[in-house]
């Protein structure tokens, strides 16, 4: 694996390799000294163009636990604010010869572009509404620990599927692991043609009882202004997961941050079926595993060009 | 009036050529077969039996095995002048047209500032008379400054030489304004060319709405954004007896809307682009905006087939490129942020030949006819090889393979939707408005004995 750009590109075996690796890092996490020297002397760039708490902090802590040097760049207050293009920012950061670039960007395909421009391994930490592969991997990791296998399990993804990169990555990941997926939400928030991805579509929670796992998405309050939902109240009446709708044997997940009282009721969040806190804990070990798989597992990285001591030129992506 | 007479181009010598033994095809003129095409002082003097034409001072071109067609006419080109010459200008854009086998093009008015006054038209025409390799016509905007509110001085613009009107790049939002323009058209003439979409339905869409946009998480532009607006505007044109030309059809529903309007008697013509005829939204899975982001977007296979059918049955009058050059930095960004548009002049014929003629989807004669079909909707003379006409000829090697972009482009911009592709069929020489406008560098002339 050279980059982690989408779940779509991963085979089941590749997903399982990352999850198995994450299990071994979970063991490291129980030691007193939680740091391992695997990436000593190598540099990881964390480049975030969007606000993020859990993704950025867990990737950064993962890099540190693996002993990498970390360069953390936020769009706000950086040269990005001064109008620098993504390509030029990547060229600048590439001068530090990073082993990996972890990028979060508000637009689809940004990570793929960085992978074309930079020599480093690229991890997509969320590109627009497209994909968020590390979230999907940590969610599968969390579920696999609870259920052993996802084979044949019914998973409902409920909420604003239209605007959710998590929905797209998780749909691919759940299906790759053998689960059957239903996406559920108001018709305004389910993208036309989503069935082509191999899921069922529901517009009410009537049959929610079929689900083994209920994966709830965040509803941003701004969606009301754009008439995707008439009101938050009406949305909650139809789609909020509360203790009445959630069965005792159903597992509850949410990528965070939660809008308490909108897509989830408070008591559902705090219920014993909720895996939300475990998801966050899984984030660290799964992201350590991702960095390991990209930077250490395949052995040597590509040899640098002969006589090339300084920064390497950035190859421009050629059209296929 | 001839194209050189009706439009503007650089002054120059009329061509004196004999295309020896060329395979000539001009279906509308009923010309088909091997001929010596004799061009004298910029006019088609004679179509003689192969080997029979006397040289008589004209430059001989060994054309056996090569095809001669009426040169193409593109009613939809963005020359970016004034204001965006870093993308294209009249000189580079018409050079690209000549290299693509075109003998005439019509330039859109969505420049910076938009072409809205008689003085703008006069300045552009003056420039074209200095630098244009092929005859160029200029459209003016329908609304002042393309702001969608007041009408431009349409009569003064026509007097200054505008060939018609368009707010292309944007739809005319207000049905009321379009109605007034159609009424006023009775006074001043000039076809109104329409970019059809409903901004409310298009929203912030960047590609066709369907399974691919669902998979990529990109906001979609539904087909009905285009077709509902065409239906509205065709109804207005019918009601006012106006003359409209619908630009860049992309959806099956749109072809139906044009068919219905025409059957009801509306004076409506329309065009489709090579990229909409050859590609679908599947191409967008690459997330490559350089080649695959444009407006209207690439649509589904059903839509593509409907466009081909529309071209075949005559619902679609012509192939137009919507040649839309953009600078590299406007395209080397994530898909959603990239500028909309692709270049097409230099590859239009070769792409359609490769993707539709060679696989047997469209007949060569039909393609030749539709590639030159963009003149008549704007009241201009259709290019023809009939003896006595102005020489507007393209000479092609239908067997030649070439890789797009390998030798660079005549256009100032690189955003060709065919970039990197190997196409079959190459323009070797173009005679436009009676002048030799283009010769492929490696094509040697005058080798005949």
């Amino acid at each position: 694996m050279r980059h982690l750009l989408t779940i779509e590109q991963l085979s089941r075996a590749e997903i399982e390799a990352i999850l198995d690796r994450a299990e071994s890092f979970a063991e490291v996490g129980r030691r007193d000294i939680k740091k391992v020297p695997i990436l000593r002397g190598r540099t990881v760039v964390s480049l975030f163009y969007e606000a993020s708490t859990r993704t950025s902090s867990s990737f950064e802590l993962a890099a540190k636990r693996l002993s990498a040097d970390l360069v953390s760049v936020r769009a706000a207050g950086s040269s990005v604010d001064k109008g620098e293009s993504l390509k030029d920012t990547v060229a600048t950061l590439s001068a530090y010869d990073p082993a990996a670039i972890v990028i979060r960007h508000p637009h689809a395909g940004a990570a793929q572009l960085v992978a074309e421009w930079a020599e480093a391994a690229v991890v997509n930490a969320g590109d627009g509404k497209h994909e968020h592969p590390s979230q999907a991997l940590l969610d599968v990791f969390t579920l696999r620990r609870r259920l052993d296998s996802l084979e044949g399990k019914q998973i409902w993804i409920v909420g604003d599927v239209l605007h959710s990169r998590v929905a797209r990555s998780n749909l691919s990941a759940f299906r790759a692991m053998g689960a059957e997926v239903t996406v559920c939400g108001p018709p305004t928030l389910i993208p036309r043609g989503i069935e082509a991805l191999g899921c069922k579509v529901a517009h009410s929670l009537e049959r929610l009882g079929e689900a083994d796992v209920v994966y709830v998405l965040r509803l941003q309050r701004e969606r009301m202004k754009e008439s995707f939902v008439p009101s938050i109240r009406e949305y909650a009446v139809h789609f909020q997961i509360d203790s009445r709708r959630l069965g005792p044997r159903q597992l509850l997940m949410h990528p965070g941050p939660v809008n308490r009282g909108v897509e989830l009721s408070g008591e559902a969040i705090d219920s014993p079926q909720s895996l939300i806190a475990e998801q966050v804990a899984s984030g660290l070990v799964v992201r350590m595993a991702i960095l390991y798989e990209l930077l250490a597992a395949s052995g040597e990285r590509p040899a640098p060009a002969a006589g090339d001591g300084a920064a390497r030129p950035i190859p421009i992506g050629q059209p296929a | 009036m001839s194209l050189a007479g009706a439009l503007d181009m650089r002054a120059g010598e009329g061509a004196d050529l004999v295309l020896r033994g060329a395979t000539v095809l001009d279906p509308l003129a009923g010309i088909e077969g091997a001929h010596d095409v004799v061009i004298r002082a910029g006019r088609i003097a004679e179509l003689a039996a192969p080997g029979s034409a006397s040289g008589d001072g004209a430059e001989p071109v060994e054309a056996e095995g090569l095809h001669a067609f009426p040169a193409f006419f593109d009613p939809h080109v963005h020359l970016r002048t004034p204001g965006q010459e870093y993308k294209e200008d009249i000189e580079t854009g018409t050079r690209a047209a000549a290299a693509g086998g075109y003998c005439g093009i019509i330039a859109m008015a969505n420049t910076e500032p938009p072409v809205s006054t008689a003085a703008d038209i006069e300045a552009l025409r003056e420039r074209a008379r200095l630098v244009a390799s092929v005859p160029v016509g200029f459209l003016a905007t329908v609304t002042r400054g393309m702001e969608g509110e007041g009408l431009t001085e349409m009569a003064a613009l026509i007097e200054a030489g505008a060939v018609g009107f368009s707010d292309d790049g944007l739809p005319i939002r207000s049905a009321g304004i379009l109605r007034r323009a159609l009424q006023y058209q009775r006074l001043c003439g000039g076809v109104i060319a329409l970019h059809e979409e409903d901004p409310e339905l298009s929203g912030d869409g960047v590609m066709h709405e369907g399974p691919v946009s669902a998979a990529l998480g990109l906001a979609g532009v539904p087909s009905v954004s285009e077709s509902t607006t065409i239906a509205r505007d065709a109804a207005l044109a019918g009601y006012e007896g106006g003359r409209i030309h619908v630009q860049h059809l992309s959806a099956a529903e749109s072809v139906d809307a044009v068919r219905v309007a025409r059957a009801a008697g509306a004076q409506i013509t329309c065009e489709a682009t090579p990229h909409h005829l050859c590609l679908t939204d599947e191409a967008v899975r690459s997330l490559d905006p350089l080649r695959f982001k444009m407006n209207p977007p690439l649509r589904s296979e059903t839509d593509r087939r409907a466009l081909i059918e529309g071209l075949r049955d005559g619902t679609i009058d012509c192939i137009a490129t919507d040649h839309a050059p953009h600078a590299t930095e406007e395209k080397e960004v994530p898909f959603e942020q990239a500028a909309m548009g692709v270049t097409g002049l230099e590859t239009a014929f070769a792409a359609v030949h490769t993707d539709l003629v060679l696989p047997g989807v469209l007949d060569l004669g039909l393609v030749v006819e539709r590639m030159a079909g963009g003149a008549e909707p704007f009241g201009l003379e259709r290019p023809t090889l009939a003896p006595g006409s102005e020489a507007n000829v393209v000479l092609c090697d239908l067997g030649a393979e070439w890789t797009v972009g390998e030798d660079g482009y005549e256009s100032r911009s690189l955003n060709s939707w065919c970039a990197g592709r190997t196409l079959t069929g190459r323009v070797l020489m173009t005679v436009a408005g009676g002048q030799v406008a283009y010769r492929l560098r490696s094509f040697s002339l005058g080798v005949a004995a």
Side-chain angles (χ1 to χ4, degrees):
Chain A
M1 198 165 72
R2 169 103 175 80
H3 306 287
L4 177 63
L5 302 178
T6 64
I7 290 293
E8 218 187 352
Q9 78 189 162
L10 299 182
S11 66
R12 181 170 179 159
E14 283 172 309
I15 294 174
E16 281 172 342
I18 295 169
L19 303 187
D20 293 343
R21 182 73 59 190
E23 288 292 354
S24 70
F25 285 124
E27 188 274 318
V28 173
R30 287 189 288 274
R31 298 180 198 162
D32 283 346
I33 295 170
K34 303 181 192 306
K35 201 158 173 161
V36 288
I38 294 167
L39 298 183
R40 196 160 52 196
R42 301 179 75 180
T43 304
V44 172
V45 169
S46 157
L47 178 56
F48 275 66
Y49 283 80
E50 274 187 343
S52 159
T53 306
R54 55 205 82 205
T55 305
S56 61
S57 62
S58 68
F59 263 120
E60 291 178 3
L61 186 55
K64 287 176 178 167
R65 289 274 170 92
L66 296 171
S67 309
D69 295 324
L70 178 73
V71 179
S72 175
V73 180
R74 297 288 172 273
S78 73
S79 53
V80 174
D81 257 359
K82 299 175 186 166
E84 189 174 57
S85 73
L86 177 61
K87 187 173 182 185
D88 289 333
T89 302
V90 168
T92 302
L93 294 170
S94 293
Y96 305 138
D97 191 20
I101 298 175
V102 178
I103 177 170
R104 156 75 57 94
H105 196 279
H107 296 297
Q112 179 187 319
L113 280 178
V114 175
E116 285 169 25
W117 293 330
E119 299 263 313
V122 174
V123 181
N124 180 6
D127 61 331
K129 302 169 190 77
H130 180 212
E131 283 238 24
H132 191 355
S134 65
Q135 177 73 43
L137 291 170
L138 74 89
D139 287 332
V140 172
F141 179 82
T142 308
L143 269 182
R144 200 177 70 154
R145 285 189 139 188
R146 199 51 93 90
L147 296 172
D148 290 333
S149 165
L150 273 63
E151 198 66 57
K153 292 287 186 290
Q154 297 290 328
I155 303 181
W156 278 51
I157 299 176
V158 179
D160 182 1
V161 176
L162 184 66
H163 299 96
S164 174
R165 54 186 165 224
V166 175
R168 267 166 271 271
S169 284
N170 282 32
L171 175 47
S172 298
F174 291 155
R175 278 179 37 82
M177 300 304 289
E180 288 174 29
V181 180
T182 299
V183 298
C184 176
T188 46
L189 292 174
I190 303 290
R192 190 182 175 90
I194 188 96
E195 303 84 351
L197 297 181
C199 60
K200 286 184 261 181
V201 174
H203 296 308
S204 90
L205 293 176
E206 226 170 275
R207 295 186 297 105
L208 187 71
E210 295 169 6
D212 299 298
V213 179
V214 181
Y215 194 103
V216 182
L217 301 170
R218 176 180 166 78
L219 183 81
Q220 284 179 341
R221 290 174 183 275
E222 303 82 73
R223 300 296 170 229
M224 205 171 75
K225 287 181 210 137
E226 301 149 311
S227 280
F228 285 106
V229 293
S231 70
I232 297 296
R233 193 196 67 83
E234 179 153 309
Y235 179 83
V237 167
H238 288 271
F239 295 102
Q240 187 185 89
I241 303 299
D242 55 20
S243 54
R244 182 172 53 86
R245 285 180 168 143
L246 191 68
R249 274 183 296 278
Q250 291 179 310
L251 296 174
L252 177 68
M253 303 179 83
H254 189 293
V258 177
N259 270 324
R260 242 172 221 267
V262 181
E263 69 267 14
L264 284 177
S265 73
E267 78 268 15
I269 299 168
D270 304 326
S271 71
Q273 299 103 296
S274 167
L275 299 180
I276 297 170
E278 287 171 47
Q279 285 173 273
V280 178
S282 303
L284 176 61
V285 293
V286 169
R287 286 170 175 132
M288 287 172 78
I290 290 166
L291 291 174
Y292 182 93
E293 286 296 317
L294 290 174
L295 303 181
S298 53
E300 290 307 296
R301 60 174 171 165
D308 181 11
R312 286 180 218 126
I314 314 293
I316 312 295
Q318 294 294 317
Chain B
M1 207 194 303
S2 70
L3 288 178
L7 306 178
D8 294 293
M9 75 181 295
R10 196 168 52 195
E13 293 281 305
D16 280 303
L17 297 165
V18 181
L19 312 179
R20 290 188 181 279
T23 305
V24 182
L25 181 60
D26 181 356
L28 285 184
I31 301 166
E32 186 173 0
H35 295 281
D36 284 357
V37 181
V38 183
I39 300 167
R40 288 207 187 282
R43 305 200 79 81
I44 310 277
E46 185 188 1
L47 298 177
S52 73
S54 63
D56 208 13
E59 180 180 14
V61 176
E62 187 49 65
E64 206 170 310
L66 305 179
H67 281 71
F69 307 125
F72 313 133
F73 189 93
D74 193 344
H76 196 149
V77 173
H78 295 272
L79 291 181
R80 305 301 190 201
T81 302
Q84 296 175 320
E85 288 82 357
Y86 66 98
K87 299 177 196 244
E88 195 80 285
D89 62 28
I90 297 174
E91 185 186 348
T92 59
T94 56
R95 254 180 16 222
Y102 287 90
C103 62
I105 60 174
I106 294 178
M108 295 301 119
N110 62 335
T111 49
E112 245 182 50
V115 181
S116 289
T117 68
D120 297 336
I121 288 286
E122 280 156 9
L124 286 168
R125 295 188 63 195
E126 194 176 313
R127 185 75 193 147
R129 288 195 286 268
L130 292 174
V131 301
S133 302
V134 304
V136 194
F138 295 94
L139 297 187
T141 58
V142 178
T143 66
R144 263 198 313 273
M146 250 177 93
E147 284 167 4
E149 287 162 16
L151 294 182
T152 52
E153 292 178 345
M154 291 170 66
L157 284 159
I158 291 288
E159 272 167 40
V163 295
F165 304 94
S166 181
D167 277 9
D168 177 52
L170 294 175
I172 296 176
R173 235 176 216 270
S174 156
I177 284 289
L178 179 60
R179 182 183 176 206
R180 292 277 178 262
L182 288 163
Q183 290 172 327
Y184 204 74
Q185 190 190 44
R186 294 205 287 272
L187 165 73
C188 64
V191 173
I192 297 175
L194 297 167
H195 167 120
E196 302 289 41
E197 81 178 298
D198 180 334
E200 301 276 324
L201 291 175
S202 294
D204 49 9
V206 294
M207 69 172 294
H208 174 59
E209 180 178 84
V212 181
S213 65
L216 294 173
L218 293 176
V221 177
S223 296
V224 290
S225 173
E226 180 176 273
S227 61
T228 56
T229 311
I230 292 175
R232 181 197 78 170
D233 294 352
L236 288 168
Y239 185 68
E240 294 297 346
R243 204 19 222 103
I244 60 170
H245 176 74
V246 177
Q247 300 176 302
H248 45 48
L249 251 63
S250 67
E253 294 88 336
S254 302
V255 183
D256 288 339
V258 170
R259 236 177 238 132
V260 167
R262 199 173 277 170
Q267 299 180 68
I268 178 170
T269 53
C270 64
E271 65 189 36
T273 71
H275 48 272
H276 288 109
L277 290 163
C278 297
L279 296 175
T280 69
D281 60 348
E282 286 295 326
V284 181
R285 286 191 196 274
S286 66
L287 287 173
D288 177 2
L290 181 88
R291 290 178 295 165
F292 306 129
K293 185 177 182 192
M294 69 289 285
N295 188 22
L298 299 172
R299 298 205 186 268
S300 71
E301 180 62 13
T302 311
D303 295 303
R304 189 180 79 93
R305 285 178 186 278
L307 293 177
I308 291 170
E309 191 45 46
L311 202 63
R312 216 183 260 141
D313 72 15
T315 306
I316 298 173
D317 302 85
C318 58
I319 297 172
T321 64
D322 191 7
H323 178 84
H326 288 294
T328 303
E329 64 270 21
E330 296 168 309
K331 285 289 198 176
E332 271 187 338
V333 292
F335 195 86
E336 288 151 283
Q337 292 177 299
M340 299 210 189
V342 289
T343 58
L345 283 169
E346 292 171 66
T347 56
F349 174 74
V352 172
H353 180 254
T354 305
D355 287 351
L356 300 174
V357 176
L358 289 179
V361 177
L362 285 176
D363 179 63
L364 178 64
L366 181 103
V367 167
V368 166
E369 193 189 318
R370 296 287 189 267
M371 287 289 294
E376 281 170 313
F378 287 85
L380 299 165
E381 191 176 277
R382 167 186 271 278
T384 171
L385 299 183
S389 349
E390 177 182 82
N392 288 299
V393 188
V394 55
L395 188 66
C396 297
D397 180 349
L398 294 188
E401 292 195 349
W402 58 294
T403 302
V404 177
E406 201 174 48
D407 303 326
Y409 299 94
E410 299 293 337
S411 168
R412 183 161 288 149
S413 293
L414 314 176
N415 56 314
S416 164
W417 66 272
C418 295
R421 279 196 60 188
T422 297
L423 300 178
T424 306
R426 188 155 207 192
V427 172
L428 302 179
M429 188 174 184
T430 306
V431 181
Q435 299 180 37
V436 175
Y438 174 76
R439 304 171 191 238
L440 182 68
R441 281 186 201 94
S442 58
F443 178 56
S444 55
L445 299 175
V447 292

